[in-house]
């Protein structure tokens, strides 16, 4: 059931979470499927509702730096303080060694926990009123695009939980997941916060993408099948290549996604504007329209956005377009 975010529904969501229920909540990145971290049965239900592999840990959402510190091992408090005070609230998830307050059920048995303070007044109020940190993966079925609107959650979970609706998510892509190794911030999952933004906020620390030798530190979730709409996705480098793809499949209904700048280069082609914040919504729209193929123009606007490019490449890889 979708309920608009109001003082009453926020209070009700917080009460339900406190008493061990699962509730879908808005954040600035994507909608999350939330439960209290001290409610083992609710945590189990989150995995079950999503069909999430049991080896994929959950992100824990907090309302303050102090609350985050209670969940981190003392040895990592400096890291949480340093990154958290520079970049929270916001779409940054920090992986640190966990304290005794975080259970194996949340971390899938890892000795680390992923922490995030969302930058959304409704999320913040729900966490505050619940009085407990909230574990919340994205509120999609496992393997589906993350939900950026309440309706997406309702469609995937078919009314199984209350969805607090605060409208479309501002970022529309998931948070950036990082781990500090020595003096370096290693990006385990590209996301809404760019490496450049993280680097400029942190000054002396350098930021780099996880490399093959960091394999053990990779976010488990990035190994799983992800972000694939039911419709094949094809990436093209130029308007000419899009034209050729359309010509090669004359009987197909296609949806072309391209940046606002490129629409003029594709006269007569049915296009939708592509942006990081609208990508998952467009994927779901294409499914609803039952088009045969999604064709995406990956021009410089796209190639310079690491998170957007990453999600597009994953969708194209797993969609087996011919
Ligand atoms: O923006 C977001 O991050 C959204 C909103 C709801 O906050 N949440 C989200 O959660 O995207 P989820 O579960 O879909 O993705 C969490 C990612 C997964 O790739 C998971 O493997 C990784 O974070 N992760 C969680 N705990 C981890 C840990 N201890 N070490 C490494 N990666 C971890
Ligand atoms: Mg997810």
């Amino acid at each position: 059931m979708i309920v608009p975010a109001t003082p009453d529904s926020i209070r009700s969501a917080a009460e339900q979470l406190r008493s061990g229920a699962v509730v879908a909540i808005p954040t600035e990145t994507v909608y999350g499927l939330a439960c209290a971290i001290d409610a083992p049965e609710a945590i189990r239900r989150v995995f079950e509702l999503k069909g999430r592999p049991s080896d994929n840990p959950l992100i824990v959402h907090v309302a303050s730096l102090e609350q985050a510190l209670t969940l981190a091992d003392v040895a990592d408090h400096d890291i949480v303080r340093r990154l958290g005070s520079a970049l929270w609230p916001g779409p940054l998830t920090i992986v640190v060694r966990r304290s005794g307050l975080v259970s194996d059920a949340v971390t899938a048995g890892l000795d680390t926990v992923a922490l995030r303070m969302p930058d959304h007044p409704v999320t913040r109020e729900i966490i505050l009123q619940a009085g407990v940190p909230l574990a919340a993966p994205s509120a999609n079925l496992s393997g589906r695009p993350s939900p950026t609107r309440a309706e997406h959650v309702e469609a995937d979970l078919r009314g199984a939980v209350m969805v607090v609706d605060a409208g479309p998510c501002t970022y529309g892509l998931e948070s950036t997941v990082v781990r500090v190794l020595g003096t370096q911030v290693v990006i385990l999952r590209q996301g809404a916060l760019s490496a450049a933004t993280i680097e400029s906020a942190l000054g002396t620390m350098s930021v780099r993408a996880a490399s093959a030798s960091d394999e053990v530190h990779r976010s488990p979730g990035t190994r799983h099948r992800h972000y694939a709409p039911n419709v094949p996705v094809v990436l093209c480098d130029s308007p000419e290549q899009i034209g050729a793809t359309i010509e090669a499949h004359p009987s197909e209904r296609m949806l072309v996604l391209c940046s606002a700048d490129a629409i003029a280069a594709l006269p007569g082609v049915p296009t939708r504007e592509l942006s990081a914040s609208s990508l998952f919504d467009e994927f779901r729209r294409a499914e609803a329209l039952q088009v045969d193929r999604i064709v995406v123009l990956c021009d410089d606007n796209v190639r310079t956005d690491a998170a957007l490019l990453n999600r597009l490449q994953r969708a194209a890889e797993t969609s087996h377009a011919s």
Side-chain angles (χ1 to χ4, degrees), residues 87 90-92 171 174-176 187 190-198 307:
L87 289 153
L92 178 76
Y171 287 96
E174 306 86 346
S175 64
T176 305
I187 296 185
Q190 299 282 358
L193 209 61
S194 72
T197 305
I198 298 171

Side-chain angles (χ1 to χ4, degrees), residues 5-313:
T6 61
D8 278 351
S9 66
I10 288 170
R11 197 174 318 118
S12 160
E15 266 164 27
Q16 291 188 45
L17 286 161
R18 214 174 31 235
S19 62
V22 175
V23 177
I25 59 171
T27 82
E28 79 280 34
T29 56
V30 300
Y31 277 76
L33 192 61
C35 62
I37 61 158
D38 59 2
E41 188 52 32
I43 297 169
R44 199 192 53 72
R45 186 151 158 72
V46 164
F47 279 89
E48 183 184 88
L49 282 167
K50 276 182 63 84
R52 185 178 181 93
S54 57
D55 64 350
N56 195 1
L58 308 180
I59 294 177
V60 179
H61 298 72
V62 296
S64 68
L65 196 55
E66 294 66 44
Q67 197 172 36
L69 290 173
T70 66
L71 305 174
D73 186 275
V74 179
D76 281 348
H77 277 197
D78 279 348
I79 289 172
V80 175
R81 274 201 202 92
R82 177 123 193 238
L83 272 62
S85 58
L87 289 153
W88 279 350
L92 178 76
T93 296
I94 309 169
V95 174
V96 291
R97 283 167 285 187
R98 62 169 157 151
S99 77
L101 283 185
V102 185
S103 66
D104 279 341
V106 170
T107 69
L110 296 180
D111 58 4
T112 53
V113 62
L115 300 174
R116 172 162 122 75
M117 190 197 302
D119 186 14
H120 193 298
V122 173
T123 329
R124 183 182 154 77
E125 199 50 39
I126 291 173
I127 303 170
L128 278 176
Q129 289 192 26
V132 59
L134 300 178
S138 50
N140 52 290
L141 287 179
S142 204
R144 301 270 301 135
S146 291
T148 60
R149 295 171 180 267
E151 295 75 25
H152 299 165
V153 181
E154 189 78 347
D156 271 17
L157 301 183
R158 298 174 185 279
V161 299
M162 174 170 130
V163 187
V164 179
D165 184 359
C169 301
T170 314
Y171 287 96
L173 289 185
E174 306 86 346
S175 64
T176 305
V177 181
V178 302
R179 174 117 199 228
V180 173
L181 297 175
T183 57
Q184 293 187 314
V185 178
V186 179
I187 296 185
L188 306 183
R189 177 180 74 178
Q190 299 282 358
L193 209 61
S194 72
T197 305
I198 298 171
E199 199 152 46
S200 67
L202 292 178
T204 56
M205 294 178 97
S206 63
V207 180
R208 66 171 174 87
S211 65
S213 57
D214 293 317
E215 193 55 53
V216 289
H217 299 297
R218 279 261 171 88
S219 279
T222 59
R223 289 196 300 264
H224 295 289
R225 187 177 178 275
H226 240 180
Y227 313 121
N230 293 334
V231 178
V233 177
V234 183
L235 308 185
C236 292
D237 293 327
S238 64
E240 292 71 35
Q241 206 183 344
I242 289 190
T245 304
I246 294 172
E247 266 171 37
H249 303 276
S251 61
E252 286 192 7
R253 289 171 63 228
M254 303 207 188
L255 179 75
V256 175
L257 299 179
C258 63
S259 58
D261 298 355
I263 289 179
L266 291 162
V269 175
T271 49
R272 300 270 310 172
E273 187 180 331
L274 173 67
S275 66
S277 62
S278 66
L279 177 69
F280 291 150
D281 192 36
E282 292 297 347
F283 277 174
R284 285 175 183 263
R285 184 193 307 272
E287 288 176 347
L289 292 171
Q290 296 186 302
V291 301
D292 298 305
R293 202 177 290 258
I294 301 169
V295 184
V296 186
L297 177 60
C298 287
D299 57 12
D300 285 347
N301 291 306
V302 173
R303 295 205 174 275
T304 49
D305 185 331
L308 176 59
L309 185 62
N310 169 272
R311 302 306 188 265
L312 283 169
Q313 285 172 336

